[in-house]
Amino acid sequence: MARPRSRLLLAASLATACAMTASACSTSQGGGGSAGDGKGTVEFWSMPFWIGQDDKVKELVDQFNTSQSDVTVNLTQLEWKDGRDKIKQAIAAGKGPDVWLMNNGLELDYLKAGSLAPLDDLGYTKNDTAAFLDLVKVNEYEDKLYGAPLYFDVSVMLYRTDVLKKYGFAGPPTTWDELKTTASAITTNSTADGSKVSGWQFKGMDDHVNGINSTWESFLCQAGGSLTSGDHTKSTQNTEAGKTAMEYMKSFYQDKTSPVGTSALNGFIDGKVAMFSFFQSVAANVEAGGDKTAGKWAIAPMPKGPRSGCSMVGGHSLVASSQSKDLKAAGTFMKWLASPERSAQYMDFRAIFPYQPAKVAPAVKAAYDKQVASDPNWAPILEQLGRNTPDLLLQDRHGWATRWEAQKASVVAGVGGQVPVEQALKSIDDEVGKALGTEK
């Protein structure tokens, strides 16, 4: 499962911190890091991005260190709950890592402060970057690429094949109308027979409230909505599209198709939630359910809304400090860890390969093809991938810290019926609008 951004935000933005410690945040263009001779030590700070196996990152770093003698990588492994904050604080104090893990889309404060080195300063060529999927544009800023994607995530639908079959459904719903009809029938009929299965649960309306951000933005996108105006100066959720999306989500709780407070993931594993949506890498958590889930579930593309079947894009990238003492050494490590060879391995936890398969070495493509052929769930994942563009994540970059908190409160309140839908949407726009105003 793609980890959410930290709940705790620094009192001051990175840009403000950099203003106080200018030497730590100057750009690599003049007075920044050095290209170096490609030999030295690289400090790498990372959260455990290999879903379900926290020790895998250390294993990979050890493999790199064994593979060559010019560069040595020291790994500092952080926790998801506060890792991003620790990195941000260290960077602002001039004591940060050379390379670290960041969400795809990157954070605007780092980009505006010049804290990140562009990939072409790290030894990436045009041929290297041309091999990435077009979604790599989520890591662009002012016509330069600043993040090397390890993998992508896209929001998909997971469904219990056993539950749908029991209640007379041969396959998953493909539209909003079908989703509502199917979910309502399962909830009603299972209540009548004593099984008490919730037909659907929106992740984030449960015990993992952070999940409401990717859930909400997916449904807003499907209704034809946006997060910001084209110039990123206005928050644009209080629109007809926003009302359509939130009213649709609210209807599941009004008619008690979905129960607030039931865990989407845990309920799904236990067979008490028939369907939910989240990033495809949550499948690794579902598989950990063992006999509870084995042979009883599958993935489908998101049911299409009034305007499209798009969904939120996520995943993680490697970035490097513009102040690194040896940018070439940092680039050597990044190109290894985010290489096609390693990215094909990340498919083990259903991470989406960030490269165009036709543009990688034949042996890597063969490994990719084998992964796709071995699991029928890859077909719907890749179908969903093809529906998505960089647009939503590029919008989310602007005002994201405020939006992240505002949506957790207002979307849950609006969908749950604690406040009117229009009031919930207006509250988001008011709060995020102020944050966007400070970015000018």
Coordinates of all heavy atoms in Angstrom, one line a residue, residues 191-222:
T191 N -27.4 -8.7 4.8 CA -28.1 -8.4 6.1 C -29.2 -9.4 6.3 O -29.4 -9.9 7.4 CB -28.6 -7.0 6.1 OG1 -27.4 -6.1 6.0 CG2 -29.3 -6.7 7.4
A192 N -30.0 -9.6 5.2 CA -31.2 -10.5 5.3 C -30.8 -12.0 5.7 O -31.5 -12.6 6.4 CB -32.0 -10.5 4.0
D193 N -29.6 -12.4 5.1 CA -29.3 -13.8 5.4 C -28.3 -14.0 6.6 O -27.8 -15.1 6.9 CB -28.7 -14.5 4.2 CG -27.3 -13.9 3.7 OD1 -26.6 -13.3 4.6 OD2 -26.9 -14.1 2.6
G194 N -28.0 -12.8 7.3 CA -27.2 -12.9 8.5 C -25.7 -12.8 8.3 O -25.0 -12.8 9.2
S195 N -25.3 -12.6 7.0 CA -23.8 -12.5 6.7 C -23.3 -11.1 7.1 O -22.1 -11.0 7.4 CB -23.6 -12.9 5.3 OG -24.0 -14.2 5.0
K196 N -24.1 -10.1 6.9 CA -23.8 -8.7 7.2 C -22.4 -8.3 6.5 O -21.5 -8.0 7.2 CB -23.7 -8.5 8.7 CG -25.0 -8.7 9.4 CD -25.0 -8.3 10.8 CE -26.3 -8.4 11.5 NZ -26.3 -8.1 13.0
V197 N -22.4 -8.3 5.2 CA -21.3 -7.8 4.4 C -21.6 -6.5 3.8 O -22.7 -6.2 3.3 CB -21.0 -8.8 3.2 CG1 -19.9 -8.3 2.3 CG2 -20.7 -10.2 3.7
S198 N -20.7 -5.5 4.0 CA -20.9 -4.2 3.4 C -20.5 -4.3 1.9 O -19.4 -4.7 1.6 CB -20.0 -3.2 4.1 OG -20.3 -3.1 5.5
G199 N -21.4 -3.9 1.1 CA -21.1 -4.0 -0.4 C -19.9 -3.1 -0.8 O -19.2 -3.5 -1.8
W200 N -19.7 -2.0 -0.1 CA -18.6 -1.1 -0.6 C -18.1 -0.3 0.7 O -18.9 0.0 1.6 CB -19.1 -0.1 -1.6 CG -18.1 0.9 -2.0 CD1 -18.0 2.2 -1.5 CD2 -17.1 0.8 -3.0 NE1 -17.0 2.9 -2.1 CE2 -16.4 2.1 -3.0 CE3 -16.6 -0.2 -3.8 CZ2 -15.3 2.3 -3.8 CZ3 -15.5 0.1 -4.7 CH2 -14.9 1.3 -4.7
Q201 N -16.9 0.1 0.7 CA -16.3 1.0 1.6 C -15.3 1.9 1.0 O -14.5 1.5 0.2 CB -15.7 0.3 2.8 CG -15.1 1.2 3.9 CD -16.1 2.1 4.6 OE1 -16.9 2.8 4.0 NE2 -16.1 2.0 5.9
F202 N -15.5 3.3 1.2 CA -14.5 4.2 0.7 C -13.4 4.3 1.7 O -13.6 4.6 2.9 CB -15.2 5.6 0.6 CG -16.2 5.8 -0.5 CD1 -17.5 5.7 -0.2 CD2 -15.8 6.0 -1.8 CE1 -18.5 5.8 -1.2 CE2 -16.7 6.1 -2.8 CZ -18.1 6.0 -2.5
K203 N -12.2 4.0 1.2 CA -11.0 4.0 2.1 C -10.8 5.4 2.5 O -10.6 6.3 1.7 CB -9.8 3.4 1.4 CG -8.7 3.1 2.4 CD -7.7 2.1 1.9 CE -6.5 1.9 2.9 NZ -7.0 1.4 4.2
G204 N -10.7 5.6 3.8 CA -10.5 6.9 4.4 C -11.7 7.3 5.2 O -11.7 8.2 6.1
M205 N -12.9 6.7 5.0 CA -14.0 6.8 5.8 C -14.0 5.8 6.9 O -15.0 5.5 7.6 CB -15.3 6.7 5.0 CG -15.5 7.8 4.0 SD -15.7 9.4 4.7 CE -17.3 9.2 5.6
D206 N -12.8 5.2 7.1 CA -12.6 4.2 8.1 C -11.5 4.6 9.1 O -11.3 5.8 9.3 CB -12.3 2.8 7.5 CG -11.1 2.9 6.5 OD1 -10.3 3.9 6.7 OD2 -10.9 2.1 5.6
D207 N -10.8 3.6 9.7 CA -9.8 3.9 10.7 C -8.5 4.5 10.1 O -7.7 5.0 10.8 CB -9.5 2.7 11.5 CG -9.0 1.5 10.5 OD1 -9.6 1.4 9.5 OD2 -8.0 0.8 10.9
H208 N -8.4 4.5 8.8 CA -7.2 5.0 8.1 C -7.6 6.3 7.3 O -7.7 6.3 6.1 CB -6.6 4.0 7.2 CG -5.3 4.3 6.6 ND1 -4.2 4.6 7.4 CD2 -4.9 4.5 5.3 CE1 -3.2 4.9 6.6 NE2 -3.6 4.8 5.4
V209 N -7.9 7.4 8.1 CA -8.5 8.6 7.5 C -7.6 9.2 6.4 O -8.1 9.9 5.5 CB -8.9 9.6 8.6 CG1 -7.7 10.2 9.2 CG2 -9.8 10.6 8.0
N210 N -6.3 9.0 6.5 CA -5.4 9.6 5.5 C -5.8 9.1 4.1 O -5.6 9.8 3.1 CB -3.9 9.1 5.7 CG -3.3 9.9 6.8 OD1 -3.3 11.2 6.9 ND2 -2.6 9.3 7.8
G211 N -6.3 7.9 4.0 CA -6.7 7.4 2.7 C -7.8 8.1 1.9 O -8.0 8.0 0.7
I212 N -8.5 9.0 2.7 CA -9.6 9.8 2.0 C -9.0 10.7 0.9 O -9.7 11.0 0.0 CB -10.4 10.6 3.0 CG1 -11.8 11.0 2.4 CG2 -9.6 11.9 3.4 CD1 -12.6 9.8 2.1
N213 N -7.7 11.1 1.0 CA -7.2 12.0 0.0 C -7.1 11.3 -1.4 O -7.6 11.9 -2.3 CB -5.8 12.5 0.5 CG -5.9 13.4 1.6 OD1 -6.2 14.6 1.4 ND2 -5.6 13.0 2.8
S214 N -6.5 10.2 -1.5 CA -6.5 9.5 -2.8 C -7.8 9.1 -3.2 O -8.2 9.1 -4.4 CB -5.5 8.4 -2.8 OG -5.8 7.4 -1.8
T215 N -8.7 8.6 -2.3 CA -10.0 8.2 -2.6 C -10.8 9.4 -3.2 O -11.4 9.3 -4.3 CB -10.8 7.7 -1.4 OG1 -10.1 6.5 -0.9 CG2 -12.2 7.3 -1.7
W216 N -10.8 10.5 -2.5 CA -11.6 11.6 -2.9 C -11.1 12.2 -4.2 O -11.9 12.5 -5.1 CB -11.6 12.7 -1.8 CG -12.0 14.1 -2.3 CD1 -11.2 15.2 -2.5 CD2 -13.3 14.4 -2.8 NE1 -12.0 16.2 -2.9 CE2 -13.2 15.8 -3.2 CE3 -14.5 13.8 -2.9 CZ2 -14.4 16.5 -3.7 CZ3 -15.6 14.4 -3.4 CH2 -15.5 15.8 -3.8
E217 N -9.8 12.3 -4.4 CA -9.3 12.9 -5.6 C -9.6 12.0 -6.8 O -9.8 12.5 -8.0 CB -7.8 13.2 -5.5 CG -7.6 14.3 -4.4 CD -6.2 14.7 -4.1 OE1 -5.3 14.3 -5.0 OE2 -5.9 15.3 -3.1
S218 N -9.7 10.7 -6.6 CA -10.0 9.8 -7.7 C -11.5 10.0 -8.2 O -11.8 10.2 -9.4 CB -9.9 8.3 -7.3 OG -8.5 8.0 -7.2
F219 N -12.4 10.1 -7.2 CA -13.8 10.3 -7.6 C -14.1 11.7 -8.1 O -14.9 11.9 -9.0 CB -14.7 9.9 -6.4 CG -14.9 8.4 -6.2 CD1 -13.9 7.7 -5.5 CD2 -15.9 7.8 -6.8 CE1 -14.1 6.3 -5.4 CE2 -16.1 6.4 -6.7 CZ -15.2 5.7 -6.0
L220 N -13.4 12.7 -7.6 CA -13.5 14.0 -8.1 C -13.0 14.1 -9.6 O -13.7 14.7 -10.4 CB -12.6 15.0 -7.3 CG -12.6 16.5 -7.7 CD1 -13.9 17.1 -7.6 CD2 -11.5 17.2 -6.9
C221 N -11.9 13.4 -9.9 CA -11.4 13.3 -11.2 C -12.5 12.6 -12.2 O -12.7 13.1 -13.3 CB -10.1 12.5 -11.3 SG -9.4 12.2 -12.9
Q222 N -13.1 11.6 -11.7 CA -14.1 10.8 -12.5 C -15.3 11.7 -12.8 O -16.0 11.5 -13.8 CB -14.4 9.5 -11.8 CG -13.3 8.5 -11.7 CD -13.5 7.5 -10.7 OE1 -14.6 7.3 -10.2 NE2 -12.4 6.8 -10.3

